[in-house]
Amino acid sequence: MSNGKTIDKRALAENPETTQARLATLSRNKDCTIRLAVAQNPSTSPKTLTELTDDHETRVFVGVSAGGNDMERDKIESAALLNPNIPVEVLSRVAREAPTLGVFHRLDAVAQNPNTPAAALTHLWAAASSGYAFESSGLHVALLESLAGNPSNTPEQLAVKAVEHKDHRNIMGPLAENPSTPAGALRFIMASMPPATVPKHEDAIAWFRQRTDAVVYVARNKGLPQEIVEEVLSHPNHHARVCLARNEGLSAETLDRLADDALPPIRTEVALNPNTGIHTLTKLASDTHERTAKRARKRLEAMSAAA
C-alpha cells in the first residue's frame, strides 16, 4: 500500500500539470526520487527550486528524516539548477561558490544551464582553471566541456577560449558545436583541433578520421553562419556533409542544395530533416536510391495527412 502511494506521488511530481503548490509540498517528501522528479519538473516554481538547490538544508528545515545518500542529493541539486525556472540570481550566486570537489556537481549544472548569465560563466571559466581540487581530480576538464557548450557565452569569450584550449579536443568539440561561436573561431577550430587517437587497426583509420575531423563537429552546429555552411558544403569530408544534412538549424534552401549531393546517405538525411521543404521532398521522392525515395515519400504522406 505504501509503495502504491509512493508511485502515485512520484507520478504527480513528474506531471507538468501538477500545481506549483502541490509540487512545493512534494519537494519536502522524504523519498529522494520524488524530490528529484519535482526538481526536474518544468512547472516547479522558482521558490521551490531555490530550496532544492540545497537539498540537505531543505530536509533539515522541514524536519524530514534523512532520505537518500549524498549522490542522490547531488542529483536533486543538479536537477534544480538545470531547471529552466531556476532564478538567474541563484545561478549567479552558485557560480561564485568556492571550487571544491563537494560542489562540483553544482558548478557543472550552472555551467550547462543556458540561462546562466555570461558574467557568471566568465567566473566559472576562471574557477575551472584555478581550482586545485578540480585539476588534481581531472574534473576541471569536465567543467570546461560544459562551459564550452553553453550558448550564453559571448562570441568574444568563445573565440578567446578556442585559442586558449586549442590543444584539447574535449573542449574544442563543444566549442565547435556551440551556436554562439563566431565564424572566425569556427575556422580556427577546423584548422587547429588536434586529431583523435587513431585506432590500431589500419583498415579503420580512414573511416575513423572521417568521423572525428573538426569539420564534423562544426557541421553539427545549429547556429552555423552561412559562410561556414558554404565551406562545409564544399568540404571533401563526406561525413561532415552527412552531419550537415542532419542539422536542424539549416535553411530549406541549403537542404535543397544538399539534396543534389552525389552520395545517397546525404540525400537520405535531407529527406529526414524536418526543415526540408515540400519542393525538395517531391524531388527526392523519385530518387534513384530507394531508401532515400522511401523516406521522402513517407514525409510527404505525413505532411499531407496533417494538412
Side-chain angles (χ1 to χ4, degrees):
M1 186 72 175
S2 174
N3 186 51
K5 287 183 178 180
T6 298
I7 293 172
D8 288 345
K9 288 181 178 179
R10 191 178 305 142
L12 273 174
E14 293 171 348
N15 191 339
E17 295 184 5
T18 301
T19 66
Q20 291 189 340
R22 183 66 170 138
L23 289 169
T25 300
L26 290 167
S27 74
R28 297 175 174 84
N29 193 283
K30 67 180 180 179
D31 189 314
C32 62
T33 64
I34 291 174
R35 299 200 305 278
L36 177 60
V38 173
Q40 294 172 329
N41 194 314
S43 296
T44 300
S45 72
K47 181 178 183 296
T48 300
L49 290 170
T50 301
E51 292 175 355
L52 286 170
T53 59
D54 195 336
D55 186 58
H56 173 72
E57 292 301 323
T58 299
R59 290 185 303 102
V60 170
F61 176 74
V62 297
V64 177
S65 60
N69 56 35
D70 287 344
M71 185 176 294
E72 290 168 334
R73 290 195 294 271
D74 287 355
K75 288 180 181 178
I76 293 168
E77 292 179 354
S78 295
L81 288 165
L82 284 165
N83 193 300
N85 290 337
I86 190 75
V88 170
E89 314 85 75
V90 175
L91 293 170
S92 296
R93 172 174 56 77
V94 174
R96 294 185 174 277
E97 293 179 352
T100 61
L101 289 176
V103 301
F104 169 79
H105 66 285
R106 295 163 63 80
L107 299 185
D108 192 55
V110 172
Q112 292 180 53
N113 193 318
N115 293 330
T116 300
L121 293 175
T122 299
H123 188 82
L124 282 174
W125 280 108
S129 301
S130 63
Y132 174 74
F134 288 168
E135 289 186 2
S136 61
S137 65
L139 288 175
H140 70 293
V141 175
L143 183 55
L144 289 169
E145 288 177 28
S146 295
L147 286 165
N150 195 312
S152 289
N153 283 287
T154 65
E156 295 77 15
Q157 174 92 294
L158 293 170
V160 169
K161 297 306 174 183
V163 175
E164 286 182 4
H165 299 287
K166 62 184 178 65
D167 297 325
H168 298 91
R169 280 186 60 86
N170 288 352
I171 301 168
M172 292 285 267
L175 284 170
E177 296 183 31
N178 192 320
S180 297
T181 301
L186 292 172
R187 284 199 186 92
F188 177 83
I189 291 169
M190 287 193 284
S192 308
M193 186 171 172
T197 303
V198 176
K200 293 180 180 178
H201 301 290
E202 290 187 11
D203 292 344
I205 292 177
W207 176 92
F208 186 78
R209 283 181 173 160
Q210 278 274 327
R211 284 157 178 76
T212 58
D213 193 60
V215 69
V216 172
Y217 291 86
V218 171
R220 297 184 187 127
N221 190 317
K222 293 183 180 179
L224 275 185
Q226 189 59 34
E227 57 191 291
I228 302 297
V229 170
E230 297 297 331
E231 294 180 25
V232 179
L233 280 170
S234 60
H235 201 281
N237 185 331
H238 71 269
H239 191 68
R241 299 201 306 282
V242 169
C243 290
L244 190 66
R246 291 175 184 156
N247 192 325
E248 295 184 10
L250 285 193
S251 66
E253 293 76 15
T254 299
L255 287 164
D256 189 61
R257 292 167 61 188
L258 277 165
D260 295 326
D261 197 285
L263 295 178
I266 295 171
R267 302 198 301 275
T268 300
E269 293 299 338
V270 172
L272 293 169
N273 194 308
N275 293 339
T276 300
I278 292 178
H279 166 76
T280 305
L281 289 171
T282 303
K283 176 170 62 176
L284 290 173
S286 57
D287 195 277
T288 54
H289 185 250
E290 181 52 34
R291 185 168 183 269
T292 300
K294 184 177 179 180
R295 295 294 185 275
R297 289 195 294 268
K298 190 172 181 179
R299 286 282 314 283
L300 286 168
E301 288 169 7
M303 294 168 77
S304 177

